Amino acid sequence: MAKVDRRILKSQEAIKKAVTELMIDKRFDDITIQDIADRANVNRGTIYLHYMDKYDLLDKMIEEHMDNLRDLCHSAADLTFQEGNYIWFDYFEEHHLFFSTMLESKGAHYFRSRFLDLVVQEFGPEVDTTKGANHGLSPEIAIQFFSSAMVGTVEWWFKNGMHIPTKVIAEQTGVLLDRNLD
């Protein structure tokens, strides 16, 4: 794999951070490429070297986080939900600006939908309705229920300023999932 120039990485990170910060104050549709360039302290042309337009930039930012979350799920496949949740919530905390902005912004519906789809994909294989507490339930309903609960809890946590420590919310949501998906 070719090594990427650090200047390119630095520019891309500045651009992504600028978009996220701008979305705190403005609707995404009202943000211009010039706004992004000014905030990132780069030329407009630099943005176009990496992204077709602001929508491509946002899509790539979302996809990057979804890929990272998917990778975290796969790396935690042999762990309990409680153990795996520590990894997820640490990631959420590390990238709180992005997630809180995306879940609270005017464009939140698209991001929330992508996030929910990811959780459904990752929880799907874990939901067993052939035995235990979920015996006889519709797998489709069970997956939607647990996935929506997880996404809703993450959303609530961000909207309330992450007032519950990361370790506590990871542990308690993990316990709930372990109780109901084992």
Side-chain angles (χ1 to χ4, degrees):
M1 185 169 163
K3 190 173 182 179
V4 179
D5 188 311
R6 288 194 312 198
R7 292 171 297 181
I8 291 171
L9 291 175
K10 190 174 179 179
S11 293
Q12 288 176 332
E13 287 306 312
I15 292 165
K16 292 174 196 173
K17 184 176 182 212
V19 169
T20 304
E21 290 173 350
L22 285 165
M23 286 179 63
I24 294 169
D25 300 323
K26 286 180 154 183
R27 288 176 356 106
F28 182 74
D29 287 341
D30 296 334
I31 296 171
T32 66
I33 291 292
Q34 190 61 56
D35 292 334
I36 299 167
D38 291 345
R39 179 67 67 102
N41 198 25
V42 299
N43 293 318
R44 287 170 43 98
T46 301
I47 296 171
Y48 289 117
L49 280 174
H50 304 291
Y51 310 101
M52 292 181 348
D53 55 27
K54 68 181 186 178
Y55 299 100
D56 180 47
L57 166 58
L58 185 61
D59 283 345
K60 285 185 174 155
M61 289 171 62
I62 291 170
E63 196 58 39
E64 178 182 333
H65 284 288
M66 294 300 118
D67 287 345
N68 291 343
L69 288 171
R70 191 174 291 108
D71 289 345
L72 290 174
C73 282
H74 295 189
S75 70
D78 294 333
L79 303 176
T80 66
F81 279 107
Q82 185 177 345
E83 294 164 336
N85 269 7
Y86 289 127
I87 296 167
W88 260 45
F89 277 92
D90 283 344
Y91 185 83
F92 292 144
E93 183 179 44
E94 182 181 343
H95 301 282
H96 74 278
L97 181 62
F98 175 81
F99 284 98
S100 61
T101 301
M102 291 306 297
L103 289 167
E104 294 177 21
S105 73
K106 300 282 191 246
H109 178 73
Y110 174 70
F111 176 76
R112 190 179 196 287
S113 175
R114 292 288 312 280
F115 185 29
L116 181 60
D117 288 346
L118 171 75
V119 176
V120 165
Q121 287 173 359
E122 295 303 321
F123 277 15
E126 303 299 325
V127 174
D128 185 358
T129 57
T130 63
K131 61 182 189 264
N134 298 323
H135 178 72
L137 297 177
S138 162
E140 190 175 28
I141 292 171
I143 292 166
Q144 284 299 317
F145 178 82
F146 292 115
S147 299
S148 296
M150 186 64 174
V151 170
T153 301
V154 170
E155 187 173 36
W156 166 83
W157 185 55
F158 281 121
K159 284 184 177 179
N160 288 283
M162 298 166 51
H163 65 293
I164 295 174
T166 304
K167 185 176 192 259
V168 173
I169 194 161
E171 181 178 319
Q172 291 189 15
T173 54
V175 167
L176 289 166
L177 291 169
D178 282 329
R179 277 186 197 161
N180 290 286
L181 295 179
D182 275 347

